């Protein structure tokens, strides 16, 4: 149980306004105790209810942190809550992964600082564990039977759930049915209705009339309106002049035509990069695919793209990662740091129907020609030799480790093993250790001569030997305790003699 006196550190007079929306004028009536027990941080034991919306987590974090409910929570804790809220959009249940390394890079903090502020959020009742991270290979779990030893390794990440403490719902005037993570919002009080109306009016007054630009793969270039000049005259255009056909040259592009299947594959590659490169997790997959099209069209895979992008020096926070990628690619091509083959110009008389598969064969031939020569040389000459050398090294290491093991590791209880031994296994050349080694390595069990029914005393001998070993271990512990106590008494006697000698 939580101690109610744990919130005695809250300075009620110093936090009359705890959020930008000003819905809470006084927190003195909201009693809260920090969730310091680690068992209450789990999803099935938390007292907070589930959150699915990003705005709810941000509002709850602002109320709990700015209200002084935790003595160590500060602006850095709010920044971490903002990062968690941004990751909530990937899940409909409000769950998000906790990658310590990527979060530390995004916030510019050390690993220990990220772990400490995550613990502050758990103690405030804002996040709860869904799954603890382990060192198990998530790639093996994801690929299942298709996984191979050379596919790589990636540890299982920690999964958090966004939750809201009951004190926040009480301050907003909300009626909650149930307890814990499965509690539901059923209504609001009169005070909560007034707060909701004031909040809606405040958001409506701050809403910008400018139309929001949607996420499209094309780059939007703003026009320079300062050079436009308004002159007098009639703005009426005759119908005949407006409908006349102009002899304008056809627009041509240096980029080859991209089919819908290629566009979908590019978006898939860009979406995979968002999980591999830490500073691309906020990027739009469509815009990122459009920015990386010069590399993807020349045969770059997502592994090679991730290796290249991770070598770039990027600032701590990027407002538009796709724009940064487009600008950095242009700069590297201009300075000669990145050399790309020029794709052939698109043919204006390109037919949309490919009945004889000529266009498809030509596309495959061009894609093969545009592949990186260095990668082809590595795949043809170096990669087989390196893989063979690596396989031989692993085999030699495995054989050396197996040779050093004179006995397989214990896999079952000694008593159970002794009871499971067959009666005919006793003999001059067969021992229980041989049978155990065969079972551990999956080899056929050796068979010996059949023992008579009156010669089963060797099982009792094994049990007596096991009991003797256990008694010897207990006696060793008692002797160690006695030696420690005797040493302490001697040191105490020596200190008393020294004190008496000093007084004399």
């Amino acid at each position: 149980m939580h101690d109610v006196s744990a919130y005695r550190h809250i300075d009620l007079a110093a936090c009359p306004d705890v959020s930008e929306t000003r819905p809470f004028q006084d927190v003195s009536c909201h009693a809260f105790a920090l969730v310091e027990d680690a068992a209450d941080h789990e999803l099935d034991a938390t007292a907070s209810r589930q959150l699915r919306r990003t705005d709810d987590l941000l509002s709850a974090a602002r109320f709990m942190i700015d209200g002084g409910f935790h003595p160590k929570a500060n602006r850095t804790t709010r920044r971490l809550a903002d990062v968690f809220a941004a990751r909530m959009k990937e899940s409909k249940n409000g769950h998000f992964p906790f990658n310590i390394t990527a979060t530390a890079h995004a916030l510019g903090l050390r690993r220990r600082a990220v772990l400490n502020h995550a613990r502050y959020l758990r103690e405030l009742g804002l996040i709860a564990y869904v799954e603890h991270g382990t060192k198990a290979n998530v790639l093996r779990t994801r690929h299942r039977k298709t996984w191979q030893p050379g596919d790589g390794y990636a540890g299982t990440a920690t999964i958090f759930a966004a939750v809201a403490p009951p004190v926040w719902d009480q301050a907003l005037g909300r009626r909650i049915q149930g307890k814990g993570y499965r509690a539901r919002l059923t209504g609001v009080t009169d005070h909560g209705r007034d707060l909701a109306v004031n909040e809606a009016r405040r958001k409506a007054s701050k809403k910008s009339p400018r139309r929001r630009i949607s996420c499209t793969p094309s780059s939007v270039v703003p026009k320079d309106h300062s050079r436009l000049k308004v002159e007098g005259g009639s703005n009426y255009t005759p119908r005949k002049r407006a409908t006349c056909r102009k002899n304008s040259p056809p627009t041509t592009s240096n980029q080859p035509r991209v089919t819908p299947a290629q566009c979908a594959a590019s978006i898939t590659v860009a979406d995979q990069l968002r999980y591999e490169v830490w500073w691309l997790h906020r990027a739009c997959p469509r815009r990122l695919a459009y920015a990386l099209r010069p590399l993807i069209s020349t045969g770059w895979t997502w592994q090679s793209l991730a290796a290249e992008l991770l070598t770039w020096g990027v600032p701590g926070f990027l407002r538009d990662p796709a724009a940064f990628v487009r600008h950095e690619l242009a700069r590297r091509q201009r300075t000669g740091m990145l050399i790309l083959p020029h794709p052939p110009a698109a043919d204006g008389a390109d037919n949309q129907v490919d009945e004889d598969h000529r266009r498809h064969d030509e596309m495959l031939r061009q894609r093969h020609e545009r592949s990186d020569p260095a990668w082809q040389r590595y795949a043809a000459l170096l990669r087989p030799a390196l893989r063979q050398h690596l396989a031989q090294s692993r085999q030699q290491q495995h054989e050396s480790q197996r040779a050093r093991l004179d006995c397989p590791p214990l896999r079952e209880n000694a008593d159970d093993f002794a009871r499971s031994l067959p009666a005919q296994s006793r003999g001059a050349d067969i021992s229980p250790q041989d049978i155990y080694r065969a079972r551990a390595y999956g080899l056929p069990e050796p068979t010996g001569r059949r023992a008579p029914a009156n010669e089963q005393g060797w099982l009792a001998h094994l049990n007596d030997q096991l009991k003797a070993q256990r008694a010897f271990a207990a006696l060793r512990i008692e002797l160690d305790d006695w030696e420690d106590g005797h040493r302490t008494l001697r040191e105490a006697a020596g200190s008393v003699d020294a004190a008496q000698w000093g007084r004399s």
Side-chain angles (χ1 to χ4, degrees), residues 95-115:
H95 299 173
F96 53 89
F98 180 42
N99 190 332
I100 304 175
T101 305
T103 307
H105 279 291
L107 297 178
L109 301 175
R110 294 183 180 273
R111 183 185 182 92
R112 174 51 53 187
V114 173
L115 293 175

Side-chain angles (χ1 to χ4, degrees), residues 282-358:
R282 298 180 61 253
C284 174
R286 294 177 179 272
R287 296 187 59 205
L288 184 60
Y290 182 80
L292 294 173
R293 184 176 296 176
L295 300 179
I296 299 177
S297 60
T298 55
W300 286 54
T301 60
W302 67 267
Q303 293 90 344
S304 56
L305 287 173
E308 174 67 22
L309 295 177
L310 286 174
T311 60
W312 291 5
V314 297
F317 176 78
L318 290 176
R319 187 178 299 274
D320 192 350
F324 176 79
V325 170
R326 185 170 58 252
H327 171 76
E328 186 67 15
L329 281 178
R331 186 187 68 82
R332 289 175 178 264
Q333 294 181 24
R334 184 173 60 254
T335 57
M337 300 175 61
L338 185 64
I339 301 177
L340 298 177
H342 297 282
D347 188 6
D350 190 10
N351 298 324
Q352 299 295 329
V353 181
D354 188 20
E355 296 180 353
D356 52 357
H357 305 286
R358 292 182 179 180

Side-chain angles (χ1 to χ4, degrees), residues 369-433:
E369 291 178 354
R370 290 195 299 265
S371 299
D372 190 2
W375 174 260
Q376 292 182 356
R377 181 177 179 276
Y378 164 75
L381 301 178
L382 301 180
R383 185 169 61 181
L386 290 177
R387 287 186 174 180
Q388 183 178 3
H389 180 69
L390 182 60
Q392 293 177 357
S393 302
R394 290 178 177 176
Q395 182 66 20
Q396 294 176 359
Q397 183 180 6
H398 178 69
E399 292 178 356
S400 61
Q401 291 179 355
R402 187 171 181 178
R404 288 196 302 266
L405 295 177
D406 55 350
C407 183
L410 184 62
R411 299 189 181 181
E412 59 184 356
N413 187 271
D415 297 335
D416 298 338
F417 172 73
R419 285 193 296 268
S420 66
L421 290 175
Q424 67 273 16
S425 63
R426 186 188 176 193
D429 54 345
I430 301 298
S431 64
Q433 185 176 5

Side-chain angles (χ1 to χ4, degrees), residues 113-366:
V114 173
L115 293 175
N116 288 337
H117 288 281
R119 177 167 54 85
Y120 301 158
L121 292 177
R122 294 197 304 269
E123 292 177 353
L124 287 172
L126 295 174
I127 58 176
Y129 279 110
V130 178
E131 180 181 355
H132 289 269
T134 61
K135 294 185 179 296
N137 193 355
V138 69
L139 299 179
R140 185 169 187 173
T141 306
R142 184 184 303 171
H143 297 294
R144 296 181 182 274
K145 296 182 179 179
T146 61
W147 183 84
Q148 299 295 331
D151 291 344
Y153 169 80
T156 304
T158 300
I159 305 297
F160 278 129
V163 292
V167 63
W168 180 65
D169 292 325
Q170 181 184 359
L172 283 179
R174 294 178 174 177
R175 294 190 179 95
I176 304 300
Q177 181 180 1
K179 295 181 180 180
Y181 183 73
R182 298 302 178 185
R184 297 186 300 109
L185 178 64
T186 58
V188 295
T189 61
D190 295 338
H191 177 63
R193 187 177 296 105
D194 296 338
L195 293 177
V197 171
N198 295 335
E199 176 65 11
R201 290 175 179 175
R202 188 192 65 83
K203 290 183 178 180
S205 62
K206 289 187 176 182
K207 186 177 296 184
S208 175
R210 181 175 57 184
R211 183 175 64 87
R212 186 176 181 181
I213 300 176
S214 60
C215 176
T216 58
S218 59
S219 57
V220 180
V221 180
K223 298 181 179 180
D224 188 4
H225 298 280
S226 61
R227 298 183 180 181
L228 298 180
K229 186 181 296 184
V230 180
E231 299 179 355
S234 175
N235 60 352
Y236 173 72
T237 303
R239 182 175 181 84
K240 182 177 180 180
R241 176 185 171 186
T243 57
C244 65
R245 185 176 182 180
K246 299 180 180 180
N247 296 326
S248 58
T251 59
T252 58
S253 175
N254 295 329
Q255 298 290 339
R257 191 180 66 86
V258 179
T259 61
Q262 294 175 349
C263 183
S266 302
I267 295 174
T268 303
V269 172
D271 189 47
Q272 181 68 24
L273 285 176
R274 291 173 61 246
Y275 296 98
E276 300 295 333
V277 184
W278 63 269
W279 51 272
L280 290 180
H281 67 278
R282 298 180 61 253
C284 174
R286 294 177 179 272
R287 296 187 59 205
L288 184 60
Y290 182 80
L292 294 173
R293 184 176 296 176
L295 300 179
I296 299 177
S297 60
T298 55
W300 286 54
T301 60
W302 67 267
Q303 293 90 344
S304 56
L305 287 173
E308 174 67 22
L309 295 177
L310 286 174
T311 60
W312 291 5
V314 297
F317 176 78
L318 290 176
R319 187 178 299 274
D320 192 350
F324 176 79
V325 170
R326 185 170 58 252
H327 171 76
E328 186 67 15
L329 281 178
R331 186 187 68 82
R332 289 175 178 264
Q333 294 181 24
R334 184 173 60 254
T335 57
M337 300 175 61
L338 185 64
I339 301 177
L340 298 177
H342 297 282
D347 188 6
D350 190 10
N351 298 324
Q352 299 295 329
V353 181
D354 188 20
E355 296 180 353
D356 52 357
H357 305 286
R358 292 182 179 180
R359 287 180 53 228
H360 183 264
D361 297 339
E362 182 67 17
M363 180 194 66
L364 295 179
R365 187 185 64 81
Q366 292 178 2

